[in-house]
Amino acid sequence: MSKNHRKVVIAIDPNSPQTTYVLTWAVENFLSADRDQVEVVTGHLLNADYDPNATDNLYVGEYLTEIEQETEKKLLEKLEKQTDILRDAKIQYSIKLLTCQTDTRKCLSDHIEDVKADVLLIGNRDLSHWKRMWLGSFCDFLVHSVHCPVVVIKPPRDRETTA
């Protein structure tokens, strides 16, 4: 990509209350309509390991496929609504739903490398040290595994507790 343009990947969770904040922050503080091509990406983890053609009961395979398709449709609808802020700011963007078989973090990391992103923007739930230790941190994984700069967008501080 030329020096005048950037490929920006914004990784979001459409079910997170932080999504609107991350996209708003990106538009107000980072993105440029003249320079940036944005890809908004989210990962969808399949919870069942199945092959619809390998089951004796064809109905079960068809049913699981329908559930997966309906879930993906709902996620894409949410993403379309949430990315209105990018459209309103005249930012060129696309939406990508990654269907992951195992680890969503690894799937996203591989995708970022595949598209040769110039920068990754990602939200942060601001977990405590203990929660990060036990649950793992999506952000920490990506910061250490992708080969592009990563901007971690933390949630705003509660003004009442910091005053």
Side-chain angles (χ1 to χ4, degrees):
M1 191 160 267
S2 76
K3 292 182 181 183
N4 295 332
H5 292 89
R6 288 189 302 191
K7 174 70 173 183
V8 179
V9 174
I10 303 176
I12 61 172
D13 175 0
N15 296 316
S16 169
Q18 298 292 352
T19 297
T20 301
Y21 177 75
V22 168
L23 293 171
T24 301
W25 186 95
V27 167
E28 292 175 354
N29 299 287
F30 193 84
L31 298 175
S32 167
D34 299 332
R35 176 183 58 204
D36 296 327
Q37 174 60 47
V38 175
E39 181 180 65
V40 178
V41 64
T42 192
H44 167 59
L45 180 63
L46 297 178
N47 290 328
D49 185 20
Y50 71 95
D51 177 359
N53 299 320
T55 182
D56 290 336
N57 186 344
L58 187 57
Y59 177 75
V60 171
E62 290 174 2
Y63 179 69
L64 292 173
T65 301
E66 286 176 23
I67 290 173
E68 178 185 340
Q69 290 170 346
E70 185 63 29
T71 301
E72 289 176 1
K73 180 182 172 190
K74 287 179 181 179
L75 283 172
L76 286 172
E77 287 171 357
K78 268 187 174 179
L79 284 170
E80 284 291 335
K81 288 178 186 174
Q82 292 168 330
T83 54
D84 282 350
I85 188 168
L86 297 174
R87 187 189 69 242
D88 294 345
K90 309 262 188 285
I91 304 287
Q92 296 179 37
Y93 73 95
S94 60
I95 295 174
K96 177 75 174 173
L97 176 62
L98 301 174
T99 302
C100 308
Q101 299 292 330
T102 55
D103 187 358
T104 308
R105 300 173 306 175
K106 178 73 171 122
C107 183
L108 181 57
S109 175
D110 291 345
H111 177 73
I112 291 164
E113 297 303 320
D114 291 345
V115 300
K116 298 181 178 23
D118 293 308
V119 64
L120 167 66
L121 277 62
I122 188 165
N124 180 303
R125 295 183 294 164
D126 208 18
L127 296 176
S128 70
H129 172 73
W130 289 106
K131 286 183 181 178
R132 280 195 317 271
M133 185 173 72
W134 291 108
L135 301 174
S137 170
F138 205 90
C139 288
D140 286 348
F141 179 88
L142 291 173
V143 164
H144 292 97
S145 66
V146 300
H147 294 94
C148 67
V150 179
V151 177
V152 178
I153 303 166
K154 292 186 159 224
R157 288 192 175 126
D158 184 5
R159 295 187 191 275
E160 292 176 13
T161 60
T162 58

